[in-house]
Amino acid sequence: MAKSRSVPDVWMIAATLGILAIGVVMVYSASAVAAFHDYGDSYYYVKRQLLFAVLGIASMFVTMNVEYTFWRKWAVPALLICFGLLVIVLVPGVGVVRGGARSWLGIGSFGIQPSEFMKLAMILFIAKLLSERQNQITDFTKGLLPPLGILGAAFALIMLQPDLGTGTVMIGAALLAIYVAGARLSHLAGLAMIGVAGLVGLILAAPYRLQRITAFLDPWQDPQGAGYQSIQSLYAIGPGGLVGLGLGMSRQKYNYLPEPQTDFIFSILAEELGFIGGSLLILLFLLLIWRGMRTAITLTDPFGSLLATGIVGIFAVQVLINIGVVIGLLPITGVTLPLVSYGGSSLTLLLTALGILLNLSRYSR
């Protein structure tokens, strides 16, 4: 193991705080109209976002100063706890239904989303398992099948909610870690074909998912229904131009674009801050991902390297899906933009994960 550095990666910290600051500002700007209409308080959403940002930063500071090897012994217990929460959330009367999915545990407006915590728990488990079975990863039965079985079970529970977006992010990040661990491309290619077939089955099994696909291909076929969000998102991005309409000057947030503070917050950002503002945010994400991958590559400990890869994978996949949906390159999946979109569970979990990544950066060469 490389010698520990005195400080974590400062570029990663700067990118994280920069994205978080942009997120808080944009949550207020995107939600002020809806918050005043629904609650009589323009600051309703941003106050909660600030609260969870403070809690998340505190958690990031703690995990940044806890040696990452600590998480190796807690990987299995964390996974089992998250499996238990995924089962509990499905119990009628216990799990809270929001947006058509039984994904929440909590009371009133405060709650946690177990599937968000499963993403990190799964990465911890896969990093531990594969770092201990490096010589078996090329064997499909002994090396690849066990982590895939656990991954499939977690995905199945998440789909029972249903929450395809979170499940897709978890699958993407885990497969990235499995690939980096040394899995054969032929095995992964075969699994990809099975996964595509399964995805088609999931789409056909739920009419609303099929509507999202048809709306993705041609949103104007149903402009007041399945294609509404995609069209309104593009109506926000288009007028933004190079420099935007100005902070706070969005027109689409006036009840045209549904839930502008969550999945489609990038649309409001592009409308108000334009191509320059959107590009700046993307560059900050790229800086964070680059420094994270640099950490993963330069770590000599297999567990640490796979853990860093998985955490970076969560961010990279989530950013790719969210922005792809917003600009019309991907079907709508309900994935938030990391550190920017409104949401307590996601924000706290991601900052906690970044704290672990920052601790890992102390040991990179």
Side-chain angles (χ1 to χ4, degrees):
M1 185 182 297
K3 185 178 179 181
S4 174
R5 296 195 317 205
S6 58
V7 293
D9 192 312
V10 293
W11 288 105
M12 202 184 301
I13 294 175
T16 298
L17 296 180
I19 295 169
L20 187 60
I22 291 173
V24 170
V25 172
M26 290 312 305
V27 164
Y28 170 69
S29 181
S31 68
V33 174
F36 185 79
H37 178 270
D38 296 337
Y39 303 101
D41 181 6
S42 298
Y43 299 95
Y44 178 85
Y45 290 107
V46 74
K47 285 190 294 188
R48 283 159 176 75
Q49 188 77 346
L50 280 170
L51 172 62
F52 285 110
V54 171
L55 292 175
I57 290 174
S59 179
M60 182 179 74
F61 179 79
V62 171
T63 53
M64 182 175 67
N65 290 284
V66 174
E67 188 174 351
Y68 74 88
T69 53
F70 168 84
W71 301 105
R72 187 195 299 265
K73 63 181 179 182
W74 285 100
V76 174
L79 185 73
L80 293 176
I81 291 171
C82 287
F83 264 114
L85 292 175
L86 287 179
V87 172
I88 292 172
V89 81
L90 296 174
V91 178
V94 178
V96 179
V97 178
R98 296 180 185 175
R102 192 181 297 276
S103 305
W104 298 83
L105 292 172
I107 300 174
S109 60
F110 289 94
I112 63 169
Q113 196 171 1
S115 57
E116 289 289 339
F117 292 91
M118 175 55 88
K119 290 189 297 188
L120 180 57
M122 183 59 67
I123 293 302
L124 287 169
F125 174 76
I126 285 179
K128 170 181 168 61
L129 182 66
L130 297 185
S131 64
E132 295 172 352
R133 300 187 180 186
Q134 282 185 290
N135 60 337
Q136 297 179 340
I137 189 61
T138 55
D139 187 305
F140 182 83
T141 303
K142 297 180 180 180
L144 195 57
L145 198 56
L148 289 178
I150 300 295
L151 185 61
F155 181 74
L157 286 173
I158 292 173
M159 285 307 301
L160 289 175
Q161 299 177 6
D163 188 356
L164 179 60
T166 302
T168 301
V169 173
M170 181 186 68
I171 291 285
L175 288 180
L176 177 63
I178 290 171
Y179 169 72
V180 169
R184 289 182 177 179
L185 283 176
S186 58
H187 291 163
L188 294 178
L191 290 169
M193 295 176 63
I194 297 173
V196 170
L199 183 61
V200 171
L202 289 172
I203 292 171
L204 295 176
Y208 77 91
R209 293 194 193 111
L210 185 58
Q211 288 177 351
R212 288 182 177 181
I213 296 298
T214 57
F216 161 67
L217 297 174
D218 185 6
W220 291 102
Q221 285 185 355
D222 188 9
Q224 295 298 320
Y228 182 79
Q229 281 183 300
S230 296
I231 292 171
Q232 297 304 318
S233 177
L234 295 177
Y235 276 165
I237 295 171
L242 182 64
V243 297
L245 302 178
L247 186 63
M249 301 303 293
S250 167
R251 294 188 289 261
Q252 290 301 104
K253 66 185 179 184
Y254 284 86
N255 292 328
Y256 292 105
L257 184 62
E259 300 293 338
Q261 71 275 12
T262 55
D263 299 352
F264 286 86
I265 196 169
F266 188 80
S267 304
I268 304 300
L269 184 146
E271 184 182 13
E272 295 187 348
L273 304 182
F275 177 81
I276 293 177
S279 297
L280 173 62
L281 179 61
I282 292 173
L283 286 174
L284 287 173
F285 276 122
L286 290 175
L287 174 61
L288 179 60
I289 292 168
W290 166 53
R291 299 303 295 186
M293 288 309 299
R294 182 183 180 277
T295 295
I297 291 170
T298 55
L299 279 166
T300 57
D301 177 23
F303 171 72
S305 181
L306 293 175
L307 180 55
T309 300
I311 292 174
V312 173
I314 291 175
F315 278 86
V317 174
Q318 204 160 323
V319 169
L320 183 64
I321 293 177
N322 179 271
I323 296 181
V325 166
V326 164
I327 63 178
L329 292 179
L330 294 172
I332 295 174
T333 54
V335 172
T336 57
L337 190 59
L339 305 182
V340 179
S341 295
Y342 172 77
S345 292
S346 176
L347 183 61
T348 306
L349 181 279
L350 290 172
L351 286 171
T352 300
L354 280 173
I356 297 174
L357 186 60
L358 285 166
N359 181 264
L360 285 161
S361 71
R362 293 174 180 263
Y363 296 87
S364 61
R365 289 182 298 181

